[in-house]
Structures are given as C-alpha cells and as structure tokens.
Amino acid sequence: MERLLRHVRARLMVALALNALLGLFGTHLAHAAGEDGYDLWLRYRALPAAQRTALAAAATGIQSPDDTPTVRAASAELKRGLAGMLARVPDAIPVNSRARVGTVVLARAGLPANLPADLADADAVRRHLAAAGAEGYVVRHTRQGGVPITLIAANSDIGLLYGSFAWLRQLQLGAAPDRIALADKPALPLRVLNHWDNLDRTVERGYAGESIWNWWELPNIVDPRYMDYARANASLGINGTVLNNVNAKAEVLSPAFIAKTAAIADVLRPYGIRVYLSVRWSTPLELKETTTADPLDPAVAAWWTRKADEIYRTIPDFGGFLVKANSEGQPGPQDYGRNHADGANMLARALAPHKGIVMWRAFVYNPPAHPNQGRERSGDRAAQAYDQFKPLDGKFDRNVLVQVKNGAIDFQPREPAHPLFGAMPDTPLVMEFQVTKEYLGFATHLVYLGPLFQETLRFDTRAGNKPMTVARVLEGTQDGHVGGIAGVANIGASRNWTGSTFDQANWYAYGRLAWNPDLDSRAIAREWAGQTFAPDARVADPVVAIMMRSREAAVDYMTPLGLHHIMGTGHHYGPAPWVDDLGRADWNPVYYHRADRNGIGFDRTSKGSNAVAQYAPDVARRFADPATTPPEFLLWFHHLPWDYRMPDGRTLWADIVAHYDHGVAEVAAMQADWQRLRPFVDVQRFDDVAQRLAQQRREAEWWRDACIAYFQHQSGLPLPAGVRAPAQSLEYYRKQTFPFAPGHG
Ligand code: GCW
C-alpha cells in the first residue's frame, strides 16, 4: 500500500507540473504535447481559464472522514482531479470544522444524523438518499450554515467513491460547479469484467498486449497499474472482475495462485471491486486430489467445499466462480451424464456459506448430427444453448446465475438478442458482452460498440406477451431474480490499456451501460469524447459523429443484412466466406451463409431449423416472415433467392453489394472527419488514430472486394450496373494467410 501511495504522489507531481505548464502557455500546447492514453478518461487536464476560476472558488478544500480505504480512495481521487483541473492542490479541511466557502464535503449518511448540520436542503438530500440504496449517491451544490459547499453524500463508502467520480466527470465535461445536482444508483447489482487472460500472460482474443496481471511476479511484486485499473473501473461503477480466462487452467486454484489472486484483491477492494476466478471443471481430478469430477460424487463436492473455504480464508470477499463447461472441448458435468444444473449447484453449495456466486455460462453448442445440415433445430448452432438451458429453468440454486452471450452465435457485428433472454423467468441471467473486438477488426478498426450493446439491451423479448426489454429481464423486476452484466475485457498491458484510443470508449461504454442499461449510446460517446479529448463542441461533436457511424459501417463492410460468422479461420480477422473444410460443420462460414446459385441466408423458420420458435410468440411471428423481419436480420432468419425484392425495390443481390459499398464509403467519411480534428488533438493520439483509420479503410475495401467476389461466384450473377469490380480475383483473396495473428490459440 505504501508503495502504491508513493506512486500516486509521484504521478500527482508530474500531473501538476504538466498542468502548470499548460496553464502558462495556453491550451494550444495541450494539443501539441503527446498523450499516450494511459490516463484514459480520467485525464483531469487544466480547465480553460474561466472554468478554472469558477471551480477554484467552488472547490477550495476537501472535507472527508478518511476513515476507511474506500473513503480515502474517494478523497484521493477528488484531490487528484481538482489538482489537475485547477493546477493547485485543494486544502484538506478537518471533519467537524466550520463550513468554509467552497468545501467539498464527503458525507456518509448511513444515519440522517451523519449529514452535516445546517444543510440548506437537507430534506431533499435525505429523500434522495432514501432512494440511493447501497451503492447510489447524491451530489449537489448547496449551502451549509449559509456557506456554499458541494455535498457528496451516500449511504455507503462505495457510494461516496462513485459520487466523487460522477462529480469529477461533470467537471471534466465543463459543467458549472454551482449547477451540479446528481442523484443516481446502479440498476444491476453485478457489473463485472471477464478477463480472458491466461496464466502465462497471453490473452485470448486480446489485442492490447500481454495481460495486465503479472502472475509470475505476484504476489510480492504488485504493479501500480492495478490501482489505476481499479480507479478506471470504479469511475464507471464496475464492481467485479474475473481475472482469468474461461478456458481455465487447474493451477489457478493452487495455493500459489490463490495467494496471487489475494494480492490483486487487496488492491481492488478499496475500489469496490471483488475478484472472481474462472474454474476448470476437472480441477480436482487434474490436481490428482480426487478420482473423478462427477458433481454427484461426495468426494468431489467435499473437495470444492474445502477449496472454497481455503480461498475465503485469504480473500474474505471473494466473489465466486465463472464456469465454461461442456463447451468447445472444456470438461463439464455432462462428461459424467449430469446436467449443467447439477454442476452449477454443486459449486454453488461450496460457495454459499461464504456468500459467493457461480456464473455458469450458457455458451454451449454441440456438433450437429449431420454435417452441413441445419434442417432440424438440433442441427442449428444458434438453437442449442436454448435447448439445453431452457429445460433447466428453476433448477439452479439461488446463488447461481446463468451467463448468456448477447446473441446466440458468437459476438458477431450484429446478432438478434439471444432467445434465452426472457425465456428463463426462474433463473437470474447475466448478459455477456464482448468488449474486445474479436470479430470486429481487433484494435485496428474503429468500431464504437455502444450502439451494439444498446441494441441488445433494448431488444424487446415480449416475454409474457408484453413489453419486456432485455435490460428489464436482467433487472428481474418481475420475478425478483436479479441478474447482472459481464463484459469480456479489452484491457492489456499496452500503455493505452486497450491497444487503441477508441477502444477505450468500448470499455467506457460497457461500464456506463452496466451501471444504467437505459443510457443512450450517443450520450455516452459524448461523455467519453469530452473527457478523452475535450468537451469543446468543435472536438467532441465530430468525434461522436465518427463513433456513431462506426458500428453500422463495420456491419456493412463485414456482414450486412444478417450475415454472420464469415470471418477468417481461428483468428476471425478479415473475410473468409469460402471456408468449408473445418472439422466441425458449424465452424465453417459456408454453414452460416449457405450461398449458392439459388440464394443466400440461414433458414431459421419452421421450414428450416425453426430456431425462430425459441423467441416469444410475438417476436417469433415477426421473424418468421421475411416481409416483417427487420432487414438487418434478414439473412439471419431466412434463405432467400438472389432476386428477392427488398423494401426499396432493389434485388437482394444488389442490396448486399450496396451495403458493402456503403460500409467502405462510411469508413472513408470517418477518415475525412478525423483529418479535420488535426488542430484539436495531440500529435501522438492523432497520428495513431489516423494510421488505424487508413488501415481500416484498406481492410474495409478488402472485406468488400473479397465478399463480393465470392458471393458473385456463388450466385453467378453479374455485378449490378455501376458497381466497381473487386480489385483482385477470388483466388487472390482465398490465398491470403495470416500467420501469428494475435489473440488466439
Ligand atoms: O468467442 C469464442 C472465441 C473463443 C472463446 C469462446 C468462449 C474463450 O472464439 O476464443 O473462448 O468464444 O466464449 O468461450
């Protein structure tokens, strides 16, 4: 801890010096100086003069009880933030001293009596606190004994930390300090990141360098970065992190790794973040401590109980386990003729005495019985998770949550919401989003995922034949089964954390939506842009414009109209719709698009796999008919002839081609917009983004050309009039290989 504090102090001094310089020479210097992105959205750069004067008057000192690590983290963050924005360290005001103009008062008001005396609007504050729950906060500019102050109040320590971050966010966005009035609380109790980080520091689907967890050096060498990781997450309200890959190794539960996990937990704890581990089903067997991994074998259950006890001895607030079982070759209870509930409940019982939970993944799909056949539902990968899990609804222990990917295939650029949402009323569900962009151009392509997350969270499942968005399903408002949300992290050891500046926005957007799934992705982009670059509309507006068109652009140049899973084998980068020779039928792109002379698309209606029947009747009816299926899901649910008429009168073939062209044009527009930002963005980040956009443009062309060449080959149709022919032959695209692509294997 001492070491960490020294690190904080050192960073504070550097930040102060930098800010003083910027203050002296004017803000234009801020644009010239390089930024490496390490500070994320918590940059706290010196404010423009007028705002600085206002804030200096409104924030002269901080009054905080500083009696717990979390409250100390809150006041340290306020100090850091104000020192940065004001280029002056605020005073520390002793608790219980008389109100002084411009004091920022941290008040933990578990009891109303703990609010400062003589508070101007104490009644309103109390009302808000009554609604704030265990994690919410109230922040407002008010008066105490007639003196203007800022009150940050909460029912808990963590609420104070969240409130402090919320206030700092407003200030960074240029809000007038005397106008700030916030009252908020998270919608979901469980807001976690899933790291797919291996113990050797490689990261599955990671594009930002090595894992931030330096397992080798832990537990005695603790990287100060862990604390900055905690700050960034706490600033969003993320309150849990699963440290290791769901493709887990048995060793993570060895005493040595439990000690390493405990060291990380110690750093994250003050920031309200619990640690969880992914566990491998067969751990006791592999460690040779049992002779089977059958969940109904008492020796196996006893082993897990002992293991849980051992973990909680060193990590009393350990969160629990995340499990990938009987999925993609991972062992699981089905190896012993048991089902997912048998497995999950056995682990849940080991954790229950410690209040731990099990997040059991529903990402399962079995090899289809007949290769290249999707006629029956069982042959459709998209239908298999539902078929295995729906019958288990209500069979899980209370501390089990079933974790479901946003869509039924696998983190595609666009998928309809997974049919399990709304279909398991007696089971709490966790949404699993992928923040890292496995199928969306890694950290190279600029794709803002806010709209993707929002689209799924707002998807109306029509469960119970009434409006019921996925977000409401997670919140469990109906039945008391409150779920959660998980994001597969895009964080690594690269200096800017996420491999590219704009990928920071995906971490940010995930966290903000985890806090409040009803937030608008454009508003989130605006917040992120304001803090990451500048709140000035000349900067933030074009940044937001780029972000907001980026996801649809990627869908268009990769997988328009409901196409999916046509990416390169293994690494999933770039187009490979022609691949048809992989070990499992449902790993092949041809399985998903089914393009031939006659048409294209996966028939999931009653004439095909009938996966559509897994949705609530209202939704199923809409998706069963191409005329009522939203065009963006058309080929997800239907196999249609190439001359099928789209609503705009074009043939399907012409429409597919137009989408590919539009995707490329959108990237060109994003690139042009970015160039206009040159005067406003520091050279280092500007150039990095510019290079990535140039590469994205080349690769959007590649996607377009390769897919048009291939689908034309399949359809045998001429290119629609006026359409540019692909730059190379289909053979050329087929021959491309990508050895050593990052993030897999
Ligand atoms: O998205 C796919 C990935 C695998 C991943 C798997 C899963 C961790 O290609 O790399 O494995 O899904 O979610 O389990």
Side-chain angles (χ1 to χ4, degrees), residues 196 204-205 207 245-247 324 327-328 330 361 363 365 381 405 409-412 432 434 438-439 488 565 570-572 743-745:
W196 285 358
E204 182 151 353
R205 312 308 177 182
Y207 315 106
N245 192 354
V246 289
N247 291 329
K324 172 176 179 176
S327 163
E328 298 187 328
Q330 296 295 315
R361 296 177 88 226
F363 180 64
Y365 57 105
R381 169 171 167 184
K405 287 191 183 183
I409 296 292
D410 194 13
F411 301 137
Q412 296 302 294
E432 181 176 312
Q434 197 183 46
E438 173 182 355
Y439 293 94
V488 178
H565 217 298
H571 50 73
H572 298 153
H744 76 110

Coordinates of all heavy atoms in Angstrom, one line a residue, residues 196 204-205 207 245-247 324 327-328 330 361 363 365 381 405 409-412 432 434 438-439 488 565 570-572 743-745, ligand 1:
W196 N -10.1 -12.7 -20.3 CA -9.7 -14.0 -20.9 C -8.2 -14.1 -20.9 O -7.6 -14.4 -21.9 CB -10.3 -14.1 -22.3 CG -11.8 -14.3 -22.4 CD1 -12.6 -14.5 -21.3 CD2 -12.6 -14.5 -23.5 NE1 -13.9 -14.7 -21.8 CE2 -13.9 -14.7 -23.1 CE3 -12.3 -14.4 -24.9 CZ2 -15.0 -14.9 -24.0 CZ3 -13.4 -14.6 -25.8 CH2 -14.7 -14.8 -25.4
E204 N -6.5 -14.5 -24.5 CA -7.3 -15.0 -25.6 C -8.2 -13.8 -26.1 O -8.8 -13.2 -25.3 CB -8.2 -16.1 -25.1 CG -9.0 -16.7 -26.2 CD -9.3 -18.2 -25.9 OE1 -8.8 -18.8 -25.0 OE2 -10.2 -18.7 -26.7
R205 N -8.1 -13.6 -27.4 CA -8.8 -12.5 -28.0 C -8.4 -11.2 -27.5 O -9.3 -10.2 -27.4 CB -10.3 -12.7 -27.9 CG -10.8 -14.1 -28.3 CD -10.3 -14.5 -29.6 NE -10.8 -15.9 -30.0 CZ -10.4 -16.5 -31.1 NH1 -9.7 -15.9 -32.0 NH2 -10.8 -17.7 -31.4
Y207 N -6.0 -7.8 -27.8 CA -5.3 -7.1 -28.8 C -4.6 -5.9 -28.2 O -4.4 -4.9 -28.9 CB -6.3 -6.7 -29.9 CG -7.2 -7.9 -30.3 CD1 -8.5 -7.9 -29.9 CD2 -6.6 -9.0 -30.9 CE1 -9.3 -9.0 -30.2 CE2 -7.4 -10.1 -31.2 CZ -8.8 -10.1 -30.8 OH -9.5 -11.2 -31.1
N245 N -9.0 -16.5 -17.8 CA -9.7 -17.0 -19.0 C -10.7 -18.1 -18.6 O -10.4 -18.9 -17.8 CB -8.7 -17.6 -20.0 CG -9.3 -17.9 -21.3 OD1 -10.5 -17.7 -21.6 ND2 -8.4 -18.3 -22.3
V246 N -11.9 -18.0 -19.3 CA -12.9 -19.1 -19.1 C -12.4 -20.4 -19.6 O -12.8 -21.5 -19.1 CB -14.2 -18.7 -19.8 CG1 -14.9 -17.6 -19.0 CG2 -14.0 -18.4 -21.2
N247 N -11.4 -20.4 -20.5 CA -10.7 -21.6 -20.8 C -9.6 -21.7 -19.7 O -8.5 -21.3 -19.9 CB -10.1 -21.5 -22.2 CG -11.1 -21.6 -23.3 OD1 -12.2 -22.2 -23.1 ND2 -10.9 -20.9 -24.4
K324 N -17.0 -22.2 -17.7 CA -17.3 -22.7 -19.0 C -17.2 -24.2 -19.0 O -16.1 -24.7 -18.9 CB -16.2 -22.1 -20.0 CG -16.3 -22.6 -21.4 CD -15.3 -21.9 -22.4 CE -15.4 -22.4 -23.8 NZ -14.5 -21.6 -24.7
S327 N -18.2 -27.0 -23.2 CA -18.3 -26.0 -24.3 C -16.9 -26.0 -25.0 O -15.9 -25.9 -24.3 CB -18.6 -24.7 -23.7 OG -18.3 -23.6 -24.5
E328 N -16.9 -26.2 -26.3 CA -15.7 -26.1 -27.1 C -14.6 -27.0 -26.4 O -13.5 -26.5 -26.3 CB -15.3 -24.7 -27.2 CG -16.3 -23.8 -28.0 CD -15.8 -22.4 -28.3 OE1 -15.0 -21.9 -27.5 OE2 -16.2 -21.9 -29.3
Q330 N -14.2 -28.0 -23.4 CA -13.9 -27.9 -22.0 C -14.7 -29.0 -21.2 O -15.8 -29.4 -21.6 CB -14.4 -26.6 -21.4 CG -13.6 -25.4 -22.0 CD -12.2 -25.4 -21.6 OE1 -11.8 -25.6 -20.4 NE2 -11.3 -25.1 -22.5
R361 N -21.8 -20.4 -17.6 CA -22.0 -19.9 -19.0 C -22.9 -20.8 -19.8 O -22.8 -22.0 -19.7 CB -20.7 -19.7 -19.7 CG -19.8 -18.7 -19.1 CD -18.5 -18.6 -19.8 NE -18.5 -17.7 -20.9 CZ -17.9 -18.0 -22.1 NH1 -17.4 -19.2 -22.3 NH2 -17.9 -17.1 -23.0
F363 N -22.8 -20.7 -23.0 CA -22.2 -20.8 -24.4 C -21.9 -22.2 -24.7 O -20.8 -22.6 -24.5 CB -21.0 -19.9 -24.4 CG -20.3 -19.9 -25.7 CD1 -21.0 -19.4 -26.9 CD2 -19.0 -20.3 -25.9 CE1 -20.3 -19.4 -28.1 CE2 -18.4 -20.3 -27.1 CZ -19.0 -19.9 -28.2
Y365 N -22.6 -25.4 -27.5 CA -23.2 -25.9 -28.8 C -22.6 -27.2 -29.2 O -21.4 -27.4 -29.0 CB -23.0 -24.8 -29.9 CG -21.6 -24.4 -30.2 CD1 -20.9 -24.9 -31.3 CD2 -20.9 -23.6 -29.3 CE1 -19.6 -24.5 -31.6 CE2 -19.6 -23.2 -29.6 CZ -19.0 -23.6 -30.7 OH -17.7 -23.2 -31.0
R381 N -26.6 -24.4 -34.7 CA -25.8 -24.0 -33.5 C -26.5 -22.9 -32.7 O -26.5 -22.9 -31.5 CB -24.5 -23.5 -34.0 CG -23.7 -22.7 -32.9 CD -22.3 -22.5 -33.4 NE -21.6 -21.5 -32.5 CZ -20.4 -21.0 -32.7 NH1 -19.7 -21.4 -33.7 NH2 -19.9 -20.1 -31.8
K405 N -24.4 -15.1 -23.7 CA -23.9 -14.1 -24.6 C -25.0 -13.3 -25.2 O -26.2 -13.8 -25.3 CB -23.1 -14.8 -25.7 CG -21.8 -15.3 -25.3 CD -20.9 -15.8 -26.4 CE -19.6 -16.4 -25.9 NZ -18.6 -16.8 -26.9
I409 N -25.0 -16.8 -31.5 CA -23.9 -17.4 -32.2 C -22.6 -17.0 -31.4 O -22.2 -17.7 -30.5 CB -23.8 -17.1 -33.7 CG1 -25.0 -17.7 -34.4 CG2 -22.5 -17.6 -34.3 CD1 -25.0 -19.2 -34.5
D410 N -22.0 -15.9 -31.7 CA -20.8 -15.6 -31.0 C -20.3 -14.1 -31.3 O -19.4 -14.0 -32.1 CB -19.7 -16.6 -31.5 CG -18.5 -16.5 -30.6 OD1 -18.6 -15.9 -29.5 OD2 -17.5 -17.1 -30.9
F411 N -20.8 -13.2 -30.6 CA -20.2 -11.8 -30.6 C -20.0 -11.3 -32.1 O -19.0 -10.7 -32.4 CB -18.9 -11.8 -29.9 CG -19.0 -12.2 -28.5 CD1 -18.0 -13.0 -27.9 CD2 -20.0 -11.7 -27.6 CE1 -18.0 -13.4 -26.6 CE2 -20.0 -12.1 -26.3 CZ -19.0 -12.9 -25.8
Q412 N -21.0 -11.5 -32.9 CA -20.9 -11.1 -34.3 C -21.2 -9.5 -34.3 O -21.7 -9.0 -33.4 CB -22.0 -11.8 -35.1 CG -21.7 -13.3 -35.2 CD -20.3 -13.6 -35.8 OE1 -20.1 -13.3 -36.9 NE2 -19.4 -14.1 -35.0
E432 N -23.6 -11.4 -21.2 CA -22.2 -11.4 -21.6 C -22.0 -10.7 -22.9 O -22.4 -11.1 -23.9 CB -21.6 -12.8 -21.7 CG -20.1 -12.8 -22.0 CD -19.5 -14.3 -22.0 OE1 -19.8 -15.0 -21.0 OE2 -18.8 -14.6 -22.9
Q434 N -19.0 -8.8 -25.4 CA -17.6 -8.8 -25.7 C -17.1 -7.4 -26.0 O -17.5 -6.8 -26.9 CB -17.3 -9.8 -26.8 CG -15.8 -10.2 -26.9 CD -15.4 -11.0 -28.1 OE1 -15.8 -10.7 -29.2 NE2 -14.7 -12.1 -27.8
E438 N -13.1 -9.3 -31.1 CA -12.7 -10.5 -31.8 C -13.2 -10.5 -33.2 O -12.4 -10.9 -34.1 CB -13.2 -11.7 -31.0 CG -13.0 -13.0 -31.7 CD -13.6 -14.2 -30.9 OE1 -14.1 -14.0 -29.8 OE2 -13.5 -15.3 -31.4
Y439 N -14.4 -10.2 -33.4 CA -15.0 -10.3 -34.8 C -15.2 -8.9 -35.4 O -15.9 -8.8 -36.4 CB -16.4 -11.0 -34.7 CG -16.3 -12.4 -34.3 CD1 -16.5 -12.8 -33.0 CD2 -16.1 -13.4 -35.3 CE1 -16.5 -14.2 -32.6 CE2 -16.1 -14.8 -34.9 CZ -16.3 -15.1 -33.6 OH -16.3 -16.5 -33.3
V488 N -16.5 -9.0 -21.7 CA -15.1 -9.6 -21.9 C -14.2 -8.5 -22.2 O -14.3 -7.7 -23.2 CB -15.2 -10.6 -23.1 CG1 -13.8 -11.2 -23.3 CG2 -16.2 -11.7 -22.8
H565 N -20.6 -14.8 -39.1 CA -19.6 -15.8 -38.9 C -18.9 -16.2 -40.3 O -18.7 -17.4 -40.6 CB -20.1 -17.1 -38.3 CG -19.1 -17.7 -37.3 ND1 -17.9 -18.2 -37.7 CD2 -19.2 -17.9 -36.0 CE1 -17.3 -18.7 -36.7 NE2 -18.0 -18.5 -35.6
G570 N -10.0 -19.3 -37.2 CA -9.2 -19.2 -36.0 C -9.1 -17.8 -35.4 O -9.6 -17.5 -34.4
H571 N -8.4 -16.9 -36.2 CA -8.2 -15.6 -35.7 C -9.4 -14.7 -35.8 O -9.6 -13.7 -35.1 CB -7.0 -14.9 -36.4 CG -7.1 -15.0 -37.9 ND1 -7.9 -14.3 -38.7 CD2 -6.4 -15.9 -38.8 CE1 -7.8 -14.6 -39.9 NE2 -6.9 -15.6 -40.0
H572 N -10.3 -15.0 -36.8 CA -11.5 -14.2 -37.0 C -11.3 -12.8 -37.5 O -12.1 -11.9 -37.3 CB -12.4 -14.2 -35.8 CG -12.8 -15.6 -35.3 ND1 -13.1 -15.9 -34.0 CD2 -13.0 -16.7 -36.0 CE1 -13.5 -17.2 -33.9 NE2 -13.4 -17.7 -35.1
G743 N -4.1 -13.1 -30.4 CA -5.3 -13.3 -29.6 C -5.9 -14.6 -29.6 O -6.9 -14.8 -29.0
H744 N -5.3 -15.6 -30.3 CA -6.0 -16.9 -30.3 C -4.9 -18.0 -30.2 O -3.8 -17.8 -30.4 CB -6.9 -17.2 -31.5 CG -6.1 -17.5 -32.7 ND1 -6.1 -18.7 -33.3 CD2 -5.3 -16.8 -33.5 CE1 -5.4 -18.7 -34.4 NE2 -4.9 -17.6 -34.6
G745 N -5.4 -19.2 -29.7 CA -4.5 -20.3 -29.7 C -3.6 -20.3 -28.5 O -3.5 -19.5 -27.7
Ligands
GCW1 O1 -15.9 -16.2 -29.0 C1 -15.4 -17.5 -28.9 C2 -13.9 -17.4 -29.0 C3 -13.2 -18.3 -28.1 C4 -13.8 -18.2 -26.7 C5 -15.2 -18.7 -26.8 C6 -16.0 -18.6 -25.5 C7 -12.8 -18.2 -24.6 O2 -13.6 -17.6 -30.3 O3 -11.8 -17.8 -28.1 O4 -13.1 -18.9 -25.7 O5 -16.0 -18.0 -27.7 O6 -16.7 -17.6 -25.3 O7 -15.9 -19.4 -24.6

